[in-house]
Amino acid sequence: MEKLFLRGSESLALGAIDASLKFYAGYPITPQNDIPEFLSKELPKVGGKFVQAESEVAKINMLLGASACGIRVMTSSSSPGISLMQEGISYLAGSELPAVIVNVMRWGPGLGGIGASQGDYHQATKGGGHGDYFVPVFAPYSAQEMYDLIIKAFDVADEYRTPAMILVDVMISLMKEKVLRRYDKGIKVKEKKWAFGSKKEGDQKIIKSLYLKGNDLERHNWKLYEKYQKMCQKEVLYEAYLCDDAEIILIGFGMIARIGKSAVDLARERGIKAGLFRPISLIPFPERELENLSTKCENFLVVEMNTGQMVHDIKRVVGKDHNIGFYGKPSSYAPNPEELYLKIKEYLEK
Amino acid sequence: MEKLFLRGSESLALGAIDASLKFYAGYPITPQNDIPEFLSKELPKVGGKFVQAESEVAKINMLLGASACGIRVMTSSSSPGISLMQEGISYLAGSELPAVIVNVMRWGPGLGGIGASQGDYHQATKGGGHGDYFVPVFAPYSAQEMYDLIIKAFDVADEYRTPAMILVDVMISLMKEKVLRRYDKGIKVKEKKWAFGSKKEGDQKIIKSLYLKGNDLERHNWKLYEKYQKMCQKEVLYEAYLCDDAEIILIGFGMIARIGKSAVDLARERGIKAGLFRPISLIPFPERELENLSTKCENFLVVEMNTGQMVHDIKRVVGKDHNIGFYGKPSSYAPNPEELYLKIKEYLEK
Amino acid sequence: MSSKYYFDFVFSGFGGQGILIAGNLLCYSAILENREVTFFPSYGVEMRGGSANCYVVLSDSQIGSPIPSHPMGSIIMSTPALIRFLPIIKNNGLVLINSDIISTDDINRKDLDIRLIPANKLSIDVIGNERLANMVMLGYLVSATKCVKIESLVKSIKEVVSEKHKKLIPLNEKAILAGAELFEKDKRC
Amino acid sequence: MSSKYYFDFVFSGFGGQGILIAGNLLCYSAILENREVTFFPSYGVEMRGGSANCYVVLSDSQIGSPIPSHPMGSIIMSTPALIRFLPIIKNNGLVLINSDIISTDDINRKDLDIRLIPANKLSIDVIGNERLANMVMLGYLVSATKCVKIESLVKSIKEVVSEKHKKLIPLNEKAILAGAELFEKDKRC
Amino acid sequence: MKVVYKKPEVLKNINFHFCPGCQHGLVHKIIAEAIDNFGIKDRCLAVIGVGCGVFLYDYFDVDSLEAPHGRGLAVATGVKRARPERIVFTYQGDGDLAAIGLAETVHAANRGENVSVFFVNNTIYGMTGGQMAPTTLLGQITTTSPYGREFQREGYPIRMAEMLATLEGVAFSARVALCTPKQLMDAKKAVKKAFQMQIEGLGFSFVEILSSCPTNWNMQSLDAIKRVEEEMIPFFPLGIYKERRVSDVL
Amino acid sequence: MKVVYKKPEVLKNINFHFCPGCQHGLVHKIIAEAIDNFGIKDRCLAVIGVGCGVFLYDYFDVDSLEAPHGRGLAVATGVKRARPERIVFTYQGDGDLAAIGLAETVHAANRGENVSVFFVNNTIYGMTGGQMAPTTLLGQITTTSPYGREFQREGYPIRMAEMLATLEGVAFSARVALCTPKQLMDAKKAVKKAFQMQIEGLGFSFVEILSSCPTNWNMQSLDAIKRVEEEMIPFFPLGIYKERRVSDVL
Amino acid sequence: MSKKKVIIDEQRCKGCQICIVQCKRGVLKLGNKINKLGYRYVEVNKIEDCTACGICAEMCPDVVIEVWKE
Amino acid sequence: MSKKKVIIDEQRCKGCQICIVQCKRGVLKLGNKINKLGYRYVEVNKIEDCTACGICAEMCPDVVIEVWKE
Ligand SMILES: Cc1ncc(C[n+]2csc(CCOP(=O)(O)OP(=O)(O)O)c2C)c(N)n1
Ligand SMILES: Cc1ncc(C[n+]2csc(CCOP(=O)(O)OP(=O)(O)O)c2C)c(N)n1
Ligand code: SF4
Ligand code: SF4
Ligand code: SF4
Ligand code: SF4
Ligand code: SF4
Ligand code: SF4
Ligand SMILES: [Mg+2]
Ligand SMILES: [Mg+2]
């Protein structure tokens, strides 16, 4: 198990290779370019294919083709590029094809800016594409988690035959940290019997999302829904930091949680019993865990680098009888720990 | 004021013409083809331009160009086509350009099916595109409302400089009913000073969504947010049918509300005090109005033609201390009034 | 709701038999009489199969669902239509069957008011070909249910038909009246 | 947190001055000493302007924010860097300024521990050109703060530098030691 | 007795859903024959565009993958890169390949992806009910060009076989029709050639097949075929526009 | 004294953000001169693609609209249809126009939209930091073709001026470069011609301008210009590929 | 004269008449009966004139004709 | 000999040296001073050799040269 000093993006790309990624299709967009750049070099060395597509629309569909052949596939992009892939993601979900999609978020709407943002929470978690489906979404907050969660995303994608997403802000992807390369010998991937092999074996295989006959489609939609329910049972990830005795719990994901931890430390130093709750899997959302906390704590402060998206889910889960504050910063500059500490104080005072 | 007998789709298209639509870009997709077909014939007669684009991606961007010139623009599509337009919609929002987008929903995910569906509630209301923005969404439930709400959508789009959406299921668009053509002499549209005129006048005009300097982008995002807040104050539309004394309130939009009314009638005939709450504007969502009802009624039954999307918003607004049931039908066949009546009964019994 | 003015129907047959035209006309007539109406055609994949059907609801107040689960009346112009819709007609509902096309073997409910109408034959009799069998059926339906006045039906044809096809109006009228007469005759026996 | 092992720094200058290399090396040395580290470079539009900066945090426990709001130490290698970062340095923080490039006119805080370091000159002195001014600065910083051992720094160079550039190792070492010595000298007077 | 003509083996014994006289069926059949001919049924992998041909998997007993509308050649790229040993073909209409899918088509061609493309040009969006396609002829009335296509307003019909032939990555590009036995034989040859090229690894091969859509042209089957001959072929000339030989790449 | 050379009027007195020696600046300038020349500053409406040219509105005193990456020609179609009286031009890079925007480009060209297109081909994605573009030359190393572009793997560089010239809707298609005063003069002529065509209503006009990207080619300015001359021009020959005359459309 | 057989799958014929027109020997004709799909289908009229050339089968877009010969 | 003027906006020159190479008369040279943008900029060295041909100005990608003559 190597110990490395890596940028988040490198760590993620290396994780993908260790997870046995065999097909990556990319299209340049800031701020995620170091992922395709790394993989264009490294993937061929392990027998994987790297393709630079003509567009995001093309690349998500290349993934669809390669995934149907049973190999592990991935792409990465940033917000506008993710929007362009929504039809394709919906097709992957409908066709039950595993694929991993990385969104290194930038500012929107439109061309926006290229700074750190969490403006795509809604898009990622509520289905930016058409139709009824949920894509599991993981939000790493360290270089180590970039490595661990990309592997998790591949596993979940295969297990549930679904696209899965890594949602991350650029700060996490730029930051260099120590990384334990847990699977430096690679991961063995289960064979996919449903996928196209080297040739037709037995009955014809058809991979599609069109269901016209009778109530095939209704059944299909409920099947997708049940997969989601199963994920809700089995794939929830979260972290609760100093929540047990907390009078106020900060909630945030990604870099905000990271900064939030420092803010909680600051608050504790200054006598405020603060805690931090961090959803790691945004889909499935850690509903039960948060609900449990809400029986013990009255005050929640949601912090996001947007004008308020996850906060709606928190309201739904925590309930209207709690105090739920929101601090949004839709700017390229993440708040700093002092800023969050002051917000905590302010919030408790009023 | 003409009285006509029109299909929902025709009524909508006629409303668009009366609202002074001057540019429509389309791309074929079932089940919304009668809208472009109608407009390709009628729009040129009133000096409007009809373009059949090469794709949905192209057409949303044609809208962007034409809208920047200050005329009223529109497109219509169905679910997969709407997914492809998410980047463009995000750009329209970011560039503050008015445009009306009609989604005659079909089944997803993927190619799915072409029957009636409400699978795109999440996409429409939570921003299928990247970044922080809300698109006002209206859900008609009659041919008359197809006419009235498309006009409303144009007005709201102009007033707030935002894309606006009509979200409708194919049953509403196929159904023929009486329609009062309220504006058969057309509507006068205010001149848009911010738009490109016949030539440059005074200072150069720049229409864009890129904000790189300082905290321009943060300001811009809060500005968009404030527009949304203003909509929440001023543009909420809903209908409450027999809710005042209701022991159970059915909630649904579009065709479900229509069928729901029959179910409520059935229930009342059989001694159950049922009511119906119907959000007409899905964004802004009638939060206050629903909250008010929740002070009077304990039981809510949400019905959707999907596996559960709007129900999350209802839970958030109504609160966890109420009974909130859900009946989802993710199939091409809408439930019928008896079926809903039985669900009401069943729900009250347990 | 039965105390009020309320009717709901399903019309079904092959494409080309004028099913949708009949539904439209009926709606139009009701509008002339100031009623609320909804017309709902079949759509989508169904259409490729060559079948056509529509639901018509007439009422004196706002109409909820445009698709009656158990229509009180029907016009059935093909065997597939019979198979599909007979099971859902309301108890004691009225079922008009074009007996020139459909064999009675497939009729398996006893609780219905079933009328076998030789619509093709009647159409040939009055206008020389079978093209207006739909109007014969419609005439029968209207005169049997009194959902609208026959005069409104005739008037609505005049309003709906374009200048170009004006000469067809009298033929349509004849076919409708032939249907209506058949009902009167049926009543008598 | 001051009782524990904890340091945070900002290094800033023009692109090409080796700012990021210095930050990386420091992190690497701390890792050799089994510390937690974060390294955070500037990014995006900022980079086009030709500036380069990075934040380094060293700790003996998990690090929260990788971007200290008020770094306790800094290496400043250009005037724009001075203007941008001087205001945010912690009270009594350590500010190392390359005085061969930056005029002292722009220094407007009195509460800081400011050291003017003729890093270019020193670099020329020990290795014949000014290319390793960054290492001089780093050597000074490490020896002033004791955040890592000078030996770790030297060792980390050896681990980081590729085979191809191996011959540069002794030069880097010399520059670091020159910086460290300067600090010792500064201390004495 | 000896069989003179019998349906190809790879076609299942299932009714086409196509309208009477629609030549999609003929296109299916000649592709099927070529597959039989090369004995590659088990290697074949069909990537199917969205259009009236979308149910190809119902008829062909080959592994099949449905592509989103227009994206057939992006999907095929993914498939072929993942499984170079498979014989990959796409089946796409003119709306699918030449309108929404144009970028994917041209770029796959330009990359020289080693796949075979069967492009059914019927100058219309068939499946969606007869809207104007990029290939709709000037003057042609469709449901979205109710006044007839006019070049000032709607532009020109696009000639795909010619355009693709200009790209380096293309090994084979031809246009065929199916109105006469002679045309059918040429079409069969072109389809076989397209597979041959792929088997030999020569790169992207493209066969544009002029086809009828009696339903959306509002024509009887026989008139529709006459229209292909009299109106389409003059604008879309038949022939081979590019043919690479093994020696060209060695 | 008389002025021999002065910056064009329509250019504001603002520093280009381009890297030293980047020829984007020269492209800006020759477009600006043509606008001055025709006196159409107030009629002009720039539709700007996403790439290093994205800040064009900072430099040109003309009404400007930012298009999403690649969609310049769809946006321009909307603009020109809404305001036919404006002179609409797009400014797009090779990633923008030839990769992601290919379908929009070819279809606008094929429709003969009456707009002028300035296409800056620098064989690279400049703004995003030097990834492979569709125009990247064989063998060229970029951040996403670290082993050099190989046609079997990454396909061929695409020649837009030639491809578009084959379309009926195109009135003018040319390729120019900016390495020598002579090339510059030809480029100026082509840019003027492109505006001229639009003013006369002849349809789509297209000027491909070969340009340097010293930063992402990792070259000094002067070496970069040498590369344009020695490597790019041989593969992308300069010249006029199509020129429609008024008489052609009358 | 050798024996020939032209077998038309009547339940699948859509009556498009392409085969009829393509058969230069006038062997085929459209019948009056309607099949399950709702179409009048083609019948073999004068098998004696058939040369078993196979063209009808080749040109049938629904691939419902088989041709055999001795 | 008529008078010429070659005016270089030194604060905006990026020192790319294109003008220097393009001037066949060797009038221009790269200076040693650094401007606000951080570049060494071009200076007029031998104005007496200048023919006011304007080529340097035409070829400057940053459009920072003006040329005047009597
Ligand atoms: C994104 C998207 N847009 C539109 C459609 C609707 N659609 C289905 S098939 C089709 C085109 C059919 O035309 P063509 O490709 O020419 O095939 P044909 O039916 O004529 O053989 C379209 C536009 C879709 N499925 N997806
Ligand atoms: C949908 C989308 N994908 C990707 C990007 C990122 N992006 C910005 S500019 C650009 C391309 C720049 O290359 P080019 O068009 O050749 O212009 P250049 O900078 O070389 O002049 C890309 C891919 C984007 N903004 N939007
Ligand atoms: S609609 Fe046209 S293309 Fe489609 S099956 Fe019918 S005839 Fe063929
Ligand atoms: S990156 Fe390249 S294209 Fe962009 S400004 Fe710099 S040199 Fe020019
Ligand atoms: S085989 Fe030839 S001759 Fe015989 S029926 Fe068919 S086409 Fe006619
Ligand atoms: S060609 Fe085939 S489908 Fe058409 S009529 Fe002849 S046998 Fe029937
Ligand atoms: S004007 Fe001509 S001669 Fe004078 S400096 Fe410029 S290029 Fe040289
Ligand atoms: S060409 Fe222009 S920018 Fe370049 S060195 Fe000469 S004056 Fe400076
Ligand atoms: Mg077609
Ligand atoms: Mg470029």
Side-chain angles (χ1 to χ4, degrees), chain G residues 6 23 25 27-28 50-56 67:
Chain G
V6 175
C23 174
R25 315 276 305 180
V27 175
L28 309 172
C50 173
T51 61
C53 68
I55 285 179
C56 54
V67 179

Side-chain angles (χ1 to χ4, degrees), chain A residues 248-249 251 290 294 297-304 310-327 347 350, chain B residues 316 320:
Chain A
I248 178 164
I249 293 178
I251 304 184
L290 184 57
S294 74
C297 179
E298 275 305 301
N299 300 305
F300 292 86
L301 179 59
V302 183
V303 182
E304 299 179 73
M310 185 173 66
V311 64
H312 297 298
D313 283 326
I314 306 298
K315 284 190 180 156
R316 177 173 53 80
V317 173
V318 169
K320 297 207 299 182
D321 48 343
H322 286 65
N323 304 317
I324 300 172
F326 174 67
Y327 179 49
Y347 182 67
K350 63 159 194 229
Chain B
R316 177 173 52 81
K320 297 206 300 181

Side-chain angles (χ1 to χ4, degrees), chain F residues 5 14 19 22 50 62 78 119 155 215 246:
Chain F
Y5 189 86
I14 283 174
C19 310
C22 171
V50 183
V62 300
F119 169 53
T215 299
V246 185

